[in-house]
């Protein structure tokens, strides 16, 4: 794997140990992404061989089978604490009984994407950018996924014709300046298919920016080979958007995978989903965002967890999110402060901030700083 020039921070990122379950072969091939992909744990029996499950995990893994597929890479599994069912990594990927509980307000399609789909795979909500769904696969299926209705469902697979129609839509809409190549996980496409998609997008005159959406930096960092990074680097300006939720995911392997992208001039932004019992505290969030900065990842959005069916155990109040934002702003580098957003049902993302305006009239505003002290700001006479 790539050498790091910044040995200063290297020791803050521990390498994962190959999981003993896969024996010598696993140890030899641990950093081979194809091996990781082929050896994903996908059934209850396999999972029970690797570690001791709680009764709830056993029943949930069986009963959620029809609803949302289960899969986890040996790498991501090795980050889990086998002794602790509340482990933040385990909660994200191993089914829990709460998933079967569906509240009346919880939706199949919480952002109403399907009503904004003018062509196969396209979600066109904002004037100058569109999302292109390219695959229904992911290395690991996150239990709180907002696209559970589509992701892992073979019926939502994008054929070559579908992709052609999606790309044709972008081509004929000259207002689209940016495309988010998404899924599923954009890096579940083969190198060749990804190269083909990006090449066709890149030929579109009015398209200025390409954004790649992938959680592989977190779930399968070995996927970011030098070859893949070189393919991506051909399509500049290109931004890589990823999804770290917990500091335990910031491993040496992830750090090195980031370096392969950033060293080629590809900036990385992060989306974190606020998850109850996983990262809903100021301490965890501060540590996560500071670690991301060391990996040269910019914390971009902190998402309120969507009202997806079966997500109630993962969701928090908005008050909790505002409290966390208040604990970040001012207390750690502004670089480490994401924007907190709620993806509303149908209206797109709405940014939220704790209230720093104590009062405001024609002459002045009274503003509260991060320590809760008030300061006056006087306006010029009109
Ligand atoms: C989130 C999203 C985008 C990108 O939004 P930004 O605020 O630019 O990050 C684009 N299209 C859709 C459909 C989205 O949900
Ligand atoms: S990687 Fe993204 S699309 Fe895939 S399961 Fe996780 S949240 Fe859903």
């Amino acid at each position: 794997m790539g050498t790091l020039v910044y040995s200063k921070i290297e020791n803050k990122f521990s390498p994962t140990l190959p999981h003993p379950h896969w024996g010598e072969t696993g140890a030899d091939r641990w950093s081979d992404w194809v091996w990781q992909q082929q050896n994903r744990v996908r059934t209850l029996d396999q999972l029970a061989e690797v570690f001791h499950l709680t009764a709830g995990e056993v029943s949930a893994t069986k009963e959620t089978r029809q609803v949302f597929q289960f899969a986890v890479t040996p790498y991501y599994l090795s980050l889990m604490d086998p002794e602790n069912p509340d482990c933040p990594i385990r909660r994200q990927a191993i089914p829990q009984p709460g998933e079967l509980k569906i509240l009346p307000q919880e939706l199949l399609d919480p952002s109403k994407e399907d009503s904004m789909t003018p062509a196969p795979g396209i979600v066109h909500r904002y004037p100058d950018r569109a999302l292109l769904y390219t695959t229904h696969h992911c290395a690991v299926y996150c239990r709180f996924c907002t696209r559970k209705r589509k992701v892992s469902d073979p019926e939502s697979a994008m054929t070559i014709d579908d992709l052609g129609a999606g790309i044709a839509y972008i081509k004929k809409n000259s207002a689209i300046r940016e495309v988010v190549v998404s899924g599923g996980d954009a890096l579940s496409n083969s190198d060749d298919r990804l190269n083909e998609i990006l090449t066709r997008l890149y030929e579109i005159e009015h398209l200025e920016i390409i954004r790649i959406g992938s959680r592989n930096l977190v779930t399968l960092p070995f996927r970011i080979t030098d070859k893949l990074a070189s393919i991506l680097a051909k399509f500049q300006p290109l931004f890589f958007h990823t999804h770290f939720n917990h500091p335990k995911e910031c491993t040496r392997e992830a750090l090195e995978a980031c370096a392969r992208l950033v060293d080629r001039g590809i900036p990385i932004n992060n989306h974190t989903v606020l998850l109850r019992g996983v990262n809903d505290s100021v301490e965890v969030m501060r540590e996560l965002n500071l670690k991301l900065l060391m990996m040269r990842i910019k914390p971009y959005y902190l998402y309120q967890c969507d009202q997806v069916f079966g997500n109630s155990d993962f969701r928090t109040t908005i008050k909790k999110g505002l409290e966390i934002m208040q604990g970040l702003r001012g207390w750690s580098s502004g670089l480490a402060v994401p924007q907190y957003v709620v993806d509303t049902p149908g209206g797109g993302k709405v940014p939220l901030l704790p209230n720093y305006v104590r009062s405001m009239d024609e002459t002045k505003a009274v503003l509260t700083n991060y320590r809760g002290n008030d300061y006056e700001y006087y306006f010029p006479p009109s």
Side-chain angles (χ1 to χ4, degrees):
M1 293 289 138
T3 23
L4 283 175
V5 280
Y6 43 123
S7 56
K8 190 178 174 73
I9 53 106
E10 231 179 345
N11 62 359
K12 295 197 165 82
F13 294 81
S14 324
T16 53
L17 294 173
H19 196 290
H21 177 73
W22 285 273
E24 250 174 66
T25 323
D28 286 348
R29 301 194 58 192
W30 192 248
S31 58
D32 171 351
W33 74 267
V34 177
W35 180 87
Q36 287 274 344
Q37 182 76 21
Q38 286 167 348
N39 283 275
R40 290 189 306 162
V41 173
R42 307 188 63 163
T43 67
L44 176 60
D45 290 347
Q46 285 174 308
L47 185 61
E49 276 173 28
V50 185
F51 66 62
H52 184 72
L53 298 164
T54 63
E57 286 170 331
V58 170
S59 64
T61 305
K62 272 190 219 148
E63 289 166 41
T64 56
R65 190 124 205 114
Q66 300 310 316
V67 188
F68 187 45
Q69 231 187 81
F70 162 75
V72 57
T73 54
Y75 166 83
Y76 200 60
L77 204 112
S78 74
L79 304 183
M80 294 180 192
D81 182 343
E83 309 301 328
N84 177 13
D86 296 328
C87 161
I89 309 304
R90 195 159 155 173
R91 292 262 335 269
Q92 291 185 61
I94 311 285
Q96 303 288 333
E99 270 179 54
L100 296 159
K101 201 166 60 192
I102 298 169
L103 302 188
Q105 310 84 358
E106 290 179 341
L107 308 166
L108 263 178
D109 179 11
S111 307
K112 299 253 162 45
E113 290 186 336
D114 294 346
S115 66
M116 303 199 165
T117 296
I122 294 282
V123 185
H124 192 184
R125 185 191 311 283
Y126 298 107
D128 75 338
R129 54 211 187 280
L131 191 142
L132 177 63
Y133 184 92
T134 59
T135 164
H136 62 296
H137 292 300
C138 300
V140 171
Y141 294 107
C142 314
R143 306 318 302 174
F144 46 86
C145 178
T146 200
R147 291 204 190 109
K148 260 194 242 180
R149 70 184 188 286
K150 285 178 81 166
V151 168
S152 93
D153 176 3
E155 289 196 4
S156 82
M158 288 290 283
T159 63
I160 289 290
D161 286 348
D162 289 340
L163 276 169
I167 293 169
Y169 175 84
I170 296 170
K171 198 166 181 167
K172 75 173 195 277
N173 279 269
S174 57
I176 301 177
R177 198 178 299 152
E178 176 176 335
V179 64
V180 182
V181 178
S182 173
D185 194 304
L187 297 192
S188 295
N189 291 297
S190 66
D191 287 0
D192 284 347
R193 175 152 149 146
L194 198 58
N195 187 52
E196 169 76 20
I197 296 171
L198 295 177
T199 302
R200 287 167 69 184
L201 290 171
Y202 211 60
E203 283 163 1
I204 300 174
E205 192 74 25
H206 56 264
L207 206 57
E208 294 171 353
I209 305 279
I210 292 177
R211 218 196 275 193
I212 296 281
S214 168
R215 207 182 180 203
N216 274 332
L217 279 174
V218 182
T219 54
L220 185 58
F222 315 111
R223 175 70 184 89
I224 321 296
T225 57
D226 283 317
K227 176 173 174 243
L228 175 73
S230 305
I231 292 175
L232 297 179
K234 292 191 299 181
F235 303 101
Q236 296 282 15
L238 179 138
F239 287 74
F240 196 99
H241 278 232
T242 192
H243 176 182
F244 284 84
N245 285 334
H246 194 277
K248 274 181 84 176
E249 296 165 341
C250 303
T251 64
R252 177 76 67 88
E253 288 85 352
L255 174 72
E256 291 180 0
C258 289
R260 288 194 281 280
L261 294 170
V262 182
D263 286 353
R264 285 179 174 82
I266 300 172
I268 312 176
N269 286 306
N270 188 64
H271 299 232
T272 293
V273 180
L274 177 56
L275 298 168
R276 181 142 64 105
V278 172
N279 59 16
D280 59 339
S281 77
V282 172
E283 293 69 34
V284 170
M285 218 52 107
R286 200 179 287 165
E287 189 192 344
L288 169 65
N289 288 317
L290 290 172
K291 277 218 136 145
L292 291 175
L293 277 193
M294 284 190 274
M295 300 165 89
R296 296 183 287 175
I297 300 177
K298 172 73 183 86
Y300 177 65
Y301 279 151
L302 170 63
Y303 276 100
Q304 179 66 19
C305 185
D306 284 335
Q307 299 174 86
V308 192
F309 63 101
N311 260 12
S312 56
D313 282 1
F314 280 116
R315 294 193 287 122
T316 66
T317 58
I318 284 181
K319 184 162 171 262
K320 171 56 83 180
L322 290 171
E323 221 172 83
I324 290 172
M325 290 309 293
Q326 199 147 24
L328 297 180
R329 171 60 63 194
W331 298 100
S332 51
S333 165
L335 285 170
V337 182
Q339 186 156 52
Y340 179 37
V341 294
V342 185
D343 210 347
T344 57
K349 297 169 185 80
V350 172
L352 296 177
L353 260 189
N355 188 11
Y356 293 105
V357 182
R358 177 83 68 199
S359 67
M360 185 154 63
D361 59 25
E362 305 297 299
T363 58
K364 68 166 197 243
V366 182
L367 305 173
T368 304
N369 80 345
Y370 70 106
R371 291 180 183 273
N373 302 324
D374 289 353
Y375 300 87
E376 290 175 336
Y377 179 92
Y378 287 88
F379 308 135
S382 51

